[in-house]
Amino acid sequence: MTSQLPEGLGLLGVIESWEKYESLLQGVSELPELSLEDVKLLAPIPVPRRDIFCVGKNYREHVVEFGRSGYDTPERSEELPEAPVVFPKATTSVTGPFDDIEAHPAVTQELDYEAELGVIIGKGGRGISREDAFDHVWGYTIIDDFTARDLQRKHKQWLLGKSLDTHCPMGPYAVTKDEVPDPGALRVQSWVNGEARQDGQVSDLIFDIPELISTISAGITLLPGDIIATGTPAGVGIGFNPPRFVQPGDIVEISITGLGTQRNQVGAVVPA
Ligand code: MG
């Protein structure tokens, strides 16, 4: 980020000591001149402290497409959830914003994308109220909650289907909350091989960011650097009939207003 930060600190370290680094970073008027072509962008938080908190079924039209698909088990339902559906995505699934996504042909044949706004927690806490929720937000990034649909269905619980290695492209940027005065105005979009697939707006979340933070933190202490993937809008592969899973060689792009665009190719099948 800047030569004024300790070597190798990383964004997680910055967030954990934000009181110390905020003013320092705000005082930086010139960043080192590096061309994006000359660097490799990693995920903003390549190794989160713990699993990412993901939220399922949090946009109305996606609830309907997911219920209709038959992939929602054990109950097939197009009804809106009464409370946030929260599940984990393993830290080891995180990959960079332009890295290849592994196809994992030995364990899955049904790969799908989910464009999501990722909320990065700053100040930790438990029992955070809706009113105080944004005091605990550090900023935002893009998350692809990439999913092996057959594993998601087969194993009932979603951890395995959501957590294969490289199935969580993150970034390219992490943006502080002061740059995003109204997260509801953010537009979440995805494309596969250039074809538009998802186009939602964060204001359409069934459970908004304060609700998610207050729900998760009710009995679990949120930590600095925790990430909440807020859910995906309609237009995922299983929303089509028949489903349109992504295949090796396909390119998934995800963009959110002001947060940049990530671009990941599903890796070609490597011969055994
Ligand atoms: Mg998701």
Side-chain angles (χ1 to χ4, degrees):
M1 281 173 273
T2 160
S3 57
Q4 297 180 55
L5 292 174
E7 179 90 27
L9 180 66
L11 180 62
L12 189 55
V14 169
I15 292 171
E16 288 177 333
S17 300
W18 187 237
E19 285 184 3
K20 179 174 163 188
Y21 292 120
E22 181 179 14
S23 56
L24 187 149
L25 286 171
Q26 283 175 341
V28 172
S29 56
E30 287 181 28
L31 291 171
E33 282 199 24
L34 280 175
S35 164
L36 280 177
E37 276 93 64
D38 297 333
V39 298
K40 174 179 162 63
L41 288 183
L42 306 176
I45 301 179
V47 186
R49 283 265 188 269
R50 63 171 163 189
D51 291 354
I52 292 160
F53 292 99
C54 290
V55 182
K57 308 206 296 189
N58 205 17
Y59 286 85
R60 283 176 178 77
E61 288 173 29
H62 174 65
V63 171
V64 172
E65 71 176 357
F66 187 44
R68 201 192 302 130
S69 75
Y71 277 79
D72 190 8
T73 57
E75 291 166 23
R76 179 172 171 165
S77 173
E78 294 174 33
E79 286 178 19
L80 301 185
E82 292 176 0
V85 177
V86 183
F87 61 92
K89 194 169 178 77
T91 59
T92 42
S93 65
V94 173
T95 196
F98 304 110
D99 288 346
D100 285 354
I101 294 171
E102 286 182 53
H104 293 275
V107 290
T108 177
Q109 276 69 53
E110 298 186 346
L111 299 172
D112 208 351
Y113 49 87
E114 294 191 353
E116 308 200 5
L117 173 67
V119 175
I120 303 172
I121 296 297
K123 187 173 65 172
R126 198 174 96 174
I128 300 166
S129 67
R130 278 189 59 92
E131 294 69 35
D132 293 340
F134 282 110
D135 293 341
H136 293 263
V137 172
W138 180 86
Y140 304 94
T141 190
I142 299 175
I143 298 282
D144 184 355
D145 179 19
F146 205 80
T147 305
R149 295 294 180 197
D150 39 6
L151 297 183
Q152 183 184 25
R153 176 162 61 181
K154 176 180 175 185
H155 295 281
K156 315 301 182 191
Q157 219 280 348
W158 296 358
L159 175 72
L160 292 181
K162 294 288 192 175
S163 294
L164 299 185
D165 288 0
T166 72
H167 283 194
C168 186
M170 184 192 299
Y173 306 115
V175 174
T176 49
K177 66 178 172 187
D178 57 298
E179 305 282 348
V180 185
D182 177 13
L186 299 181
R187 189 175 174 189
V188 179
Q189 296 172 278
S190 72
W191 297 262
V192 175
N193 300 328
E195 181 189 306
R197 292 293 181 88
Q198 297 177 279
D199 189 354
Q201 191 157 328
V202 174
S203 58
D204 289 332
L205 285 175
I206 298 170
F207 303 105
D208 62 11
I209 293 168
E211 194 67 28
L212 297 176
I213 289 175
S214 70
T215 298
I216 295 168
S217 74
I220 297 174
T221 300
L222 281 174
L223 304 171
D226 272 341
I227 299 162
I228 301 172
T230 52
T232 204
V236 299
I238 53 163
F240 294 88
N241 187 12
R244 298 176 71 182
F245 298 114
V246 292
Q247 306 296 333
D250 284 352
I251 290 170
V252 179
E253 290 170 285
I254 298 177
S255 174
I256 298 182
T257 318
L259 305 187
T261 301
Q262 58 174 229
R263 183 179 190 276
N264 300 83
Q265 184 166 31
V266 179
V269 176
V270 180

